[in-house]
Amino acid sequence: MASVPFSSPLAAELSEGVLERFLRYVRVDTQAEEGAPASTFPSTAKQLDLSRILADELRAIGLDDVELNEFGYVIATLPGTPGAPVIGLIAHVDTTPESPGTGVSPIVHEDYAGEPIVLPGDPSQILDPADEPALAARVGHDIVTSDGTTLLGADDKAGVAEIMTAVAYLRGTSESRATVRVGFTVDEEVGRGADHFDVEAFGAEAAYTLDGSGVGEVEIETFSARQLKVRIEGRGEHPGTAKGKLVNAVKLAADLVAGLPRDTLSPETTEGREGFVHPSRIVATVEEAVVTIIVRDHDDEEFERHTELVLQLAREIQEREPRARVSVETWDQYHNMRSVIEQHPRIVANAEEAIRRAGVEPVRSIIRGGTDGARLTAMGLPTPNLFTGGQKYHSRREWASVQDMATAAAMVVELVRVWGE
Ligand SMILES: [Zn+2]
């Protein structure tokens, strides 16, 4: 048993439920797949294994309009006080393709003493409090990890377990509260979680994704994100007889990448609000090369400048080698939600009040990435992101504190109460 107190009596009361659900959900393989054709949604059918479990559980809790829709989203309503506002609570069932996600075997390290945690399935995977201040600050907590051979899946099954636990709790009370629309999405990790989300039918005035990390965090700023695919068509010839004829797309692609900044504007050299231009993939033959570059920034003007940098490099390649054909395809992935959310101060104020009532201080933080909420905000449903207590996402050293997950579940209950006042 943990030797630190829970952040509130409600957190203590919810802790067992949240841990039991979390340990069950992470064992279900819900890994999404990058690059699946758009007609395949969700990208992997196994995500629905968890969606079905959640739909059944919501029915068992007593929600009577539970729907597992054709896209794999689970949607349900917890009725509130008549006339109260409608708010959404959203989490995603899928896990990232960046780290192994099959056969997750969670381990609870009770009453963590502060030593490095060596994961038994792969002793090269070590959680070291010396490298991780968040872990060093969790002495006395119960820490959940994987066995080291897979990710844990706290991203975002911590959020799912917290929403489920809060809804189950609220269902058994009769105090005044908001009406809650629950939404469990799929394919968030491959940037498509909001693709088929029907904001109008969801019918909420505001929503929250439970998909953040450190305790107390409220996030209203994401990157704006764009992907550019620079396609370079060369000309193939037999190398033995290619003089004056062959145009090598491999070399032109290398020129393009060499033109990108190295000491600045890259993920490995930036932090905080600084953005970047990041070549993430090259597929190339002499005849054709496709360079995938992602552009990220919190600031709109910088974001456009980074995009222009890539377009300019592509033009230069084209000018230098007129026999090649250079084209650029762009895809706007999501947009920083800050400017929209700031127009609705009550949404953040209510979240901060709920966090205080759950026994911790709210912390504003920014996301160097995106969320379903960024997409939903752009679609007309303002959706900031709240903490779940999970850490080190997308890695085999992912971990979560049971006490922090209980605080998050308590925050969700308090949030529904605050909106009902
Ligand atoms: Zn997530």
Side-chain angles (χ1 to χ4, degrees):
M1 275 299 291
S3 57
V4 296
F6 285 98
S7 63
S8 73
L10 179 59
E13 187 177 346
L14 299 178
S15 65
E16 217 172 286
V18 85
L19 177 61
E20 183 277 322
R21 287 187 175 90
F22 180 68
L23 295 177
R24 215 154 28 83
Y25 301 159
V26 298
R27 289 175 188 277
V28 182
D29 179 4
T30 56
Q31 194 168 40
E33 191 180 304
E34 197 75 67
S39 56
T40 307
F41 192 91
S43 60
T44 53
K46 61 190 178 184
Q47 295 177 52
L48 302 180
D49 294 345
L50 183 52
S51 302
R52 278 188 282 268
I53 290 170
L54 296 173
D56 287 345
E57 273 184 59
L58 287 166
R59 282 186 201 105
I61 287 168
L63 275 50
D64 46 21
D65 67 342
V66 181
E67 181 195 6
L68 170 55
N69 74 18
E70 61 186 304
F71 303 109
Y73 300 143
V74 178
I75 308 285
T77 310
L78 173 73
T81 316
V86 180
I87 64 161
L89 297 173
I90 296 171
H92 64 89
V93 302
D94 61 306
T95 57
T96 180
E98 288 172 24
S99 194
T102 303
V104 175
S105 180
I107 301 170
V108 183
H109 308 260
E110 286 188 9
D111 195 7
Y112 174 55
E115 73 290 353
I117 301 175
V118 180
L119 299 180
D122 177 355
S124 74
Q125 300 290 333
I126 300 168
L127 283 72
D128 190 345
D131 304 333
E132 251 185 278
L135 182 61
R138 294 293 176 289
V139 171
H141 286 231
D142 300 322
I143 304 292
V144 190
T145 66
S146 77
D147 68 359
T149 60
T150 65
L151 48 67
L152 174 62
D155 179 7
D156 185 23
K157 288 162 186 170
V160 174
E162 289 152 11
I163 291 172
M164 290 295 290
T165 302
V167 166
Y169 173 85
L170 285 163
R171 173 78 177 111
T173 68
S174 56
E175 62 208 280
S176 63
R177 61 170 185 242
T179 290
V180 174
R181 291 282 276 162
V182 175
F184 294 127
T185 62
V186 289
D187 269 352
E188 192 273 350
E189 295 290 2
V190 290
R192 293 167 57 195
D195 276 12
H196 300 281
F197 199 96
D198 187 340
V199 164
E200 203 174 320
F202 197 59
E205 147 177 358
Y208 300 87
T209 47
L210 269 286
D211 195 14
S213 196
V215 87
E217 284 175 355
V218 183
E219 297 169 318
I220 65 163
E221 285 186 64
T222 58
F223 272 147
S224 290
R226 183 173 286 151
Q227 178 181 283
L228 295 99
K229 278 192 175 180
V230 182
R231 184 179 308 274
I232 303 169
E233 290 164 67
R235 190 183 294 168
E237 293 286 343
H238 188 284
T241 56
K243 188 172 181 185
K245 290 183 278 192
L246 183 140
V247 178
N248 191 343
V250 174
K251 287 183 177 167
L252 296 174
D255 288 348
L256 180 84
V257 174
L260 293 170
R262 274 162 199 251
D263 303 331
T264 59
L265 273 189
S266 50
E268 60 272 34
T269 61
T270 52
E271 61 186 356
R273 281 195 177 74
E274 300 168 309
F276 53 76
V277 179
H278 174 53
S280 60
R281 186 179 166 92
I282 300 184
V283 179
T285 62
V286 169
E287 289 197 356
E288 187 185 72
V290 178
V291 184
T292 303
I293 298 172
I294 61 171
V295 172
R296 300 286 187 265
D297 211 284
H298 287 94
D299 178 85
D300 281 351
E301 276 175 35
E302 289 295 322
F303 181 58
E304 295 305 330
R305 240 197 300 278
H306 304 334
T307 304
E308 182 51 35
L309 172 73
V310 176
L311 297 176
Q312 179 58 28
L313 281 168
R315 283 193 292 269
E316 283 169 20
I317 301 289
Q318 178 67 85
E319 277 161 29
R320 216 176 305 150
E321 180 48 272
R323 293 175 301 164
R325 250 189 56 195
V326 182
S327 58
V328 184
E329 197 183 297
T330 66
W331 173 34
D332 283 341
Q333 295 167 292
Y334 50 87
H335 196 267
N336 189 354
M337 59 189 170
R338 178 180 173 171
S339 58
V340 176
I341 293 192
E342 280 180 342
Q343 292 165 25
H344 308 276
R346 184 183 179 193
I347 298 172
V348 173
N350 284 357
E352 290 181 336
E353 176 61 18
I355 291 168
R356 280 189 204 100
R357 291 188 194 181
V360 292
E361 266 310 298
V363 183
R364 288 280 186 99
S365 73
I366 62 169
I367 311 172
R368 285 177 63 79
T371 61
D372 275 349
R375 298 272 311 283
L376 294 172
T377 300
M379 289 157 72
L381 178 62
T383 309
N385 190 36
L386 302 176
F387 74 92
T388 65
Q391 303 274 353
K392 281 275 161 198
Y393 286 171
H394 299 197
S395 84
R396 293 198 263 164
R397 295 179 309 286
E398 194 185 0
W399 59 275
S401 147
V402 175
Q403 283 65 35
D404 293 350
M405 289 194 287
T407 301
M411 163 188 69
V412 175
V413 170
E414 300 289 2
L415 184 60
V416 177
R417 288 173 172 164
V418 173
W419 274 94
E421 286 168 6

